[in-house]
């Protein structure tokens, strides 16, 4: 069979290649070569450096801005960001689980998950990592979309989280393990099911806390975390840990987790472990902060979030702790990425760009830093930096075209002019916007 080859030229644009240390390319040209529907960057530079081949399709971008596709390192596909409902909150975990396992429940959930994945892509998120979804449905959705020939975002899927009995996400998005060997068995099941990473809940969380201070309570023991990390690393998988207290961070890092999700204040030992972590897969660990859920659950009235007073109070503790941890990480040069926790109330899959804004507003990051965390840094943390994360020859043509310069104003991410995934242009749509949510997060 003959290969189908086609070259497209994106001309007359300002290119932010995402390498951070490089300057913006003005009057830029980017050539994308599509082979059998998969586009890679062939070359890029200013118009004096890159010639436009004959017979190629030309897109005149009229002086607009091109940035690498966003990467969201922390989402859950099961929810779309709509606030919790009164009925939903009343259902027991067992009732929920039973429904999700039923054929109707499975169908509805998986359709919703596909919709959420596409909502992310249309908003310029070309890659994300699902870090805790029920019953391996995230893997099924990923495979169905791929096998159906649908152009979707790249998904790295963790399957269900591993927690202790009664721990964070228990029976909803997490499966229980209560000893090092049970943990190893869970990891082996995950590897068998084809997960791309392992996600654990080593401490408690806000949404299922019942006492003040419980959100960051250490749940998995050091031995349990270390066993999971060892088993996952033997299979070459990274371990991400939901972790919301200083003690939790210390235990998880000592035991070898590769990413701390959310975070909390850090002491010297924690800072050192992030930078040099002998038990991690790659010798260092990274922080994936998620400002959106912390800010929204602590600043939107419980009338709308449906959190109870204890959860609301815990939300504020976690928000302050996470913010401190983020600032320390930036000051100390710890590897930092970006995640949203999409699926939490008011955190949608299409508002990933707002997390960049929150890192700036609450965490003191610069626009350029936030863009870097969401692109190059995330690609390195997730281990996909050879394929995506920056615009360089040989990498996949995953990028977003914006009306304005995001280094000056991140708001231009709200309505991308064009999203390109693997060289394919994703049609523009606003159909995923949830007006109920927008009222609160603007
Ligand atoms: Zn999460």
């Amino acid at each position: 069979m003959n290969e189908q080859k086609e070259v497209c030229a994106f001309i007359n644009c300002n290119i932010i290649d995402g390498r951070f240390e490089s300057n913006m390319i003005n009057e830029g040209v980017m050539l994308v070569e599509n082979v059998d529907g998969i586009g890679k960057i062939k070359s890029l530079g200013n118009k004096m450096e890159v010639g436009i081949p004959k017979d190629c399709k030309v897109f005149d971008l009229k002086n607009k801005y091109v940035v690498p596709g966003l990467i969201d390192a922390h989402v859950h596909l099961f929810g779309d960001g709509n606030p919790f409902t009164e009925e939903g909150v009343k259902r027991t975990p067992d009732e929920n689980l039973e429904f999700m396992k039923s054929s109707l429940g499975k169908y509805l959930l998986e359709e919703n998950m596909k919709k959420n994945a596409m909502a992310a892509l249309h908003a310029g998120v070309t890659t994300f990592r699902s870090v805790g979804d029920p019953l391996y449905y995230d893997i099924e959705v990923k495979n169905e979309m791929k096998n159906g020939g649908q152009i979707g975002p790249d998904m790295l899927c963790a399957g269900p989280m591993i927690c202790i009995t009664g721990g964070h996400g228990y029976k909803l998005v997490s499966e229980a393990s209560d000893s090092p060997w049970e943990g190893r068995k869970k990891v082996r099941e995950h590897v068998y099911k084809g997960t791309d990473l392992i996600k654990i809940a080593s401490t408690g969380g806000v949404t299922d806390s019942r006492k003040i201070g419980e959100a960051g309570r250490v749940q998995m023991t050091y031995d349990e975390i270390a066993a999971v990390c060892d088993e996952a690393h033997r299979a070459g998988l990274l371990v991400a840990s939901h972790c919301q207290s200083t003690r939790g961070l210390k235990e998880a890092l000592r035991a070898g987790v590769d990413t701390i999700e959310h975070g909390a204040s850090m002491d010297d030992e924690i800072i050192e472990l992030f930078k040099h972590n002998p038990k991690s897969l790659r010798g260092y660990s990274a922080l994936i902060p998620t400002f959106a859920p912390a800010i929204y659950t602590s600043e939107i009235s419980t009338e709308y979030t449906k959190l109870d007073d204890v959860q609301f109070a815990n939300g504020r503790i976690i928000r302050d702790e996470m913010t401190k941890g983020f600032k320390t990480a930036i000051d100390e040069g710890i590897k930092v990425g970006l995640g949203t926790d999409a699926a939490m109330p008011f955190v949608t899959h299409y508002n990933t760009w707002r997390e960049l804004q929150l890192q700036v507003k609450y965490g003191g990051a610069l626009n350029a830093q936030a863009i870097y965390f969401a692109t190059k840094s995330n690609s390195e943390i997730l281990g996909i930096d050879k394929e995506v994360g920056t615009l360089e020859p040989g990498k996949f043509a995953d990028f977003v075209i914006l009306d304005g310069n995001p280094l000056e104003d991140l708001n231009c991410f709200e309505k991308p002019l064009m999203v390109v995934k693997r060289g394919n242009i994703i049609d523009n749509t606003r159909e995923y916007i949830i007006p109920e949510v927008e009222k609160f997060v603007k």
Side-chain angles (χ1 to χ4, degrees), residues 243-250 253 259-275 285-289 320-336:
C243 209
Q244 302 195 298
S245 63
T246 301
R247 185 173 162 201
L249 257 69
K250 192 171 283 192
L253 290 168
T259 59
I260 293 287
E261 309 290 312
H262 317 297
S265 0
M266 302 175 188
D267 64 13
D268 290 345
E269 186 192 347
I270 291 173
I271 293 166
E272 185 53 30
L273 277 168
F274 268 111
K275 294 182 185 176
S285 301
L287 176 71
I288 306 291
D320 297 345
E321 278 291 299
M322 204 198 70
T323 306
K324 280 185 206 158
F326 178 77
K327 289 181 172 169
T328 305
I330 291 188
D331 291 345
E332 295 289 338
I334 287 170
K335 190 82 179 155
V336 176

Side-chain angles (χ1 to χ4, degrees), residues 74 76 131 199 262 341 344:
H74 189 126
H76 304 271
V131 286
K199 168 78 181 298
H262 317 297
D341 222 351
M344 292 300 107

Side-chain angles (χ1 to χ4, degrees), residues 23-319:
N23 293 322
M24 190 185 307
I25 302 167
N26 301 118
E27 300 193 316
V29 174
M30 182 156 59
L31 299 183
V32 171
E33 184 171 56
N34 271 295
V35 178
D36 292 336
I38 295 183
K40 286 190 173 172
I41 298 165
K42 198 172 152 70
S43 55
L44 78 167
N46 75 31
K47 65 178 181 185
M48 309 303 279
E49 298 161 340
V50 181
I52 302 168
K54 278 194 192 108
D55 304 329
C56 83
K57 216 178 191 175
V58 176
F59 294 90
D60 184 348
L61 298 182
K62 301 191 167 75
N63 215 22
K64 303 302 183 194
Y65 293 79
V66 181
V67 288
L70 298 178
I71 300 170
D72 191 338
H74 189 126
V75 312
H76 304 271
L77 283 174
F78 66 85
D80 57 11
N82 260 308
F84 293 156
T85 59
E86 214 84 61
E87 313 82 75
V89 174
K90 271 188 219 138
R91 248 182 265 137
T92 66
D94 281 302
E95 286 165 347
N96 261 321
L97 189 60
E98 201 182 321
F99 180 68
M100 292 191 293
K101 280 182 176 169
S102 70
S103 52
L104 175 66
K106 181 178 183 202
Y107 171 78
L108 292 175
L109 189 53
E110 291 195 346
E111 286 306 301
N112 209 19
M113 291 166 85
K114 285 178 206 163
K115 199 177 95 194
N116 293 337
M118 292 311 289
L121 180 62
H122 280 277
V125 180
T126 46
T127 303
F128 62 72
R129 188 166 79 150
S130 85
V131 286
D133 270 299
L135 304 162
Y136 300 98
Y137 288 174
D138 52 344
I139 312 268
E140 288 186 25
V141 163
K142 168 177 149 170
N143 291 338
E144 266 178 47
M145 287 175 70
K146 205 167 161 189
N147 298 337
Q150 185 174 0
I151 297 164
D154 289 341
M155 304 182 208
L156 298 168
C157 300
M161 274 197 263
I162 301 171
C163 72
I164 60 166
T165 292
H168 182 52
Y170 181 54
K171 288 192 178 175
L172 287 169
V173 293
S174 307
E175 295 182 1
S177 147
D178 288 306
S179 74
W181 280 105
E182 273 185 35
R184 285 186 189 270
K185 185 171 183 196
K186 278 275 165 234
V187 173
R188 290 169 186 174
E189 282 170 11
H190 278 61
V191 172
Y192 175 67
K193 294 277 190 184
T195 61
D196 301 298
L197 72 147
I198 300 295
K199 168 78 181 298
I200 62 174
S202 63
T203 75
V206 172
T207 46
D208 40 22
S209 60
R210 282 175 289 190
K211 278 185 238 155
I212 291 185
E214 199 179 44
R217 180 173 82 79
V218 280
Q219 294 188 339
M220 290 175 77
T221 65
Y222 169 85
D223 287 341
E224 287 172 322
I225 306 168
V228 165
C229 291
D230 181 55
E231 194 65 38
H233 293 162
R234 287 161 73 89
L237 299 189
L238 295 165
V239 178
S241 181
H242 166 100
C243 209
Q244 302 195 298
S245 63
T246 301
R247 185 173 162 201
L249 257 69
K250 192 171 283 192
E251 292 185 1
L253 290 168
R254 282 179 182 166
V257 306
D258 303 286
T259 59
I260 293 287
E261 309 290 312
H262 317 297
S265 0
M266 302 175 188
D267 64 13
D268 290 345
E269 186 192 347
I270 291 173
I271 293 166
E272 185 53 30
L273 277 168
F274 268 111
K275 294 182 185 176
H276 306 283
N277 190 340
K279 296 191 89 179
S280 68
L281 187 62
R282 298 175 299 196
Y284 73 93
S285 301
L287 176 71
I288 306 291
T290 59
F291 278 92
I295 300 299
Y296 300 154
T297 53
S298 59
E299 292 185 7
I300 297 173
S301 157
T302 51
E303 186 188 337
Y304 305 107
T305 59
K306 307 286 183 247
L307 295 182
D308 62 31
D309 293 346
V310 170
Q311 292 162 345
F312 182 72
N314 281 331
R316 298 206 148 190
I317 297 172
I318 294 309
R319 173 197 62 189

